[in-house]
């Protein structure tokens, strides 16, 4: 973005900009997940992260599909929000020695990531519909559904097992 011009003029520009933000975020998450898989001890948490890594690969491809459908160049814009969430995850997990406390922290950190994705996809879907791009909204909805399902699975796992073990 230039100093002398405002690059986002229209709702369509805003949609494409936000698509580039989530494209950056998905790629950043793709790089962060292998470390989270490695650090997790609980087998269900580990397996859940592994499954979400595969889903995240699809998320990147679906966002690229939306760029193509909308005739916009697939490129990223730095998203300081996801950088912050991920660096906080790395920081906190570096400070925890107890594996069960670490699992509870990793689940919570992953939920912060999911919630960020959920807010972005929710907005993108609403904007796509407003712009008459229900086709794009449909593809984005598939990503949103998987983010929500992951978030719900993490809540269930944390509340039924991880938090209790971390506290004992
Ligand atoms: Fe995602
Ligand atoms: Fe996700």
């Amino acid at each position: 973005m230039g100093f002398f011009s405002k690059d986002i003029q229209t709702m369509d520009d805003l949609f494409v900009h936000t698509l580039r933000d989530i494209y950056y975020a998905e790629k950043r998450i793709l790089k962060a997940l292998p470390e989270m898989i490695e650090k997790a001890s609980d087998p269900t948490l580990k397996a859940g992260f592994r499954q979400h890594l595969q889903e995240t690969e699809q998320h990147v491809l679906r966002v690229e599909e939306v760029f193509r459908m909308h005739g916009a160049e697939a490129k990223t814009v730095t998203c300081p929000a996801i950088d912050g969430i991920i660096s906080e995850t790395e920081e906190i997990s570096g400070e925890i020695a107890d594996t069960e406390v670490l699992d509870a922290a990793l689940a919570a950190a992953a939920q912060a990531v999911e919630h960020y994705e959920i807010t972005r996809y929710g907005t993108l879907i609403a904007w796509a519909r407003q712009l008459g791009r229900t086709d794009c909204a449909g593809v984005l909805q598939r990503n949103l559904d998987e983010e929500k399902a992951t978030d719900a699975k993490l809540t269930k796992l944390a509340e039924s097992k991880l938090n209790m073990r971390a506290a004992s």
Side-chain angles (χ1 to χ4, degrees):
M1 255 182 264
F3 279 106
F4 304 107
S5 66
K6 292 193 187 294
D7 291 343
I8 300 171
Q9 309 270 4
T10 64
M11 186 72 181
D12 193 278
D13 295 341
L14 186 61
F15 173 72
V16 171
H17 178 87
T18 307
L19 201 57
R20 288 175 176 158
D21 172 292
I22 195 69
Y23 189 42
Y24 176 93
E26 290 286 10
K27 287 184 158 191
R28 185 72 190 81
I29 294 161
L30 208 51
K31 275 194 223 151
L33 272 169
E35 203 179 321
M36 293 175 75
I37 292 167
E38 201 179 310
K39 282 181 177 160
S41 301
D42 180 82
T44 312
L45 184 63
K46 232 185 216 307
F49 284 162
R50 267 203 202 99
Q51 186 192 334
H52 201 54
L53 175 60
Q54 288 176 350
E55 287 171 351
T56 301
E57 285 167 1
Q58 293 307 308
H59 296 177
V60 169
L61 295 177
R62 288 193 197 118
V63 171
E64 286 171 353
E65 192 184 338
V66 173
F67 277 120
R68 266 196 306 277
M69 288 161 79
H70 199 59
E73 189 191 345
K75 59 180 192 183
T76 57
V77 291
T78 305
C79 168
I82 200 70
D83 283 342
I85 292 168
I86 288 170
S87 65
E88 201 177 305
T89 304
E90 289 165 353
E91 229 168 86
I92 189 99
S93 52
E95 284 173 22
I96 301 171
D98 184 282
T99 55
E100 290 172 343
V101 175
L102 180 57
D103 277 347
L106 288 169
Q111 287 193 277
V113 171
E114 294 317 308
H115 284 223
Y116 179 74
E117 292 181 285
I118 288 166
T119 186
R120 281 291 174 254
Y121 282 119
T123 297
L124 280 164
I125 289 162
W127 287 350
R129 287 199 191 117
Q130 187 61 47
L131 292 165
R133 298 307 309 247
T134 48
D135 53 343
C136 295
V139 176
L140 294 165
Q141 185 68 48
R142 293 171 67 193
N143 283 6
L144 178 59
D145 290 346
E146 288 180 355
E147 313 298 11
K148 282 186 175 168
T150 301
D151 181 49
K153 261 167 53 184
L154 284 164
T155 296
K156 198 168 164 228
L157 181 62
E159 291 183 346
S160 67
K161 183 159 82 169
L162 302 181
N163 295 349
M164 237 176 319
R165 289 201 176 162
S168 68

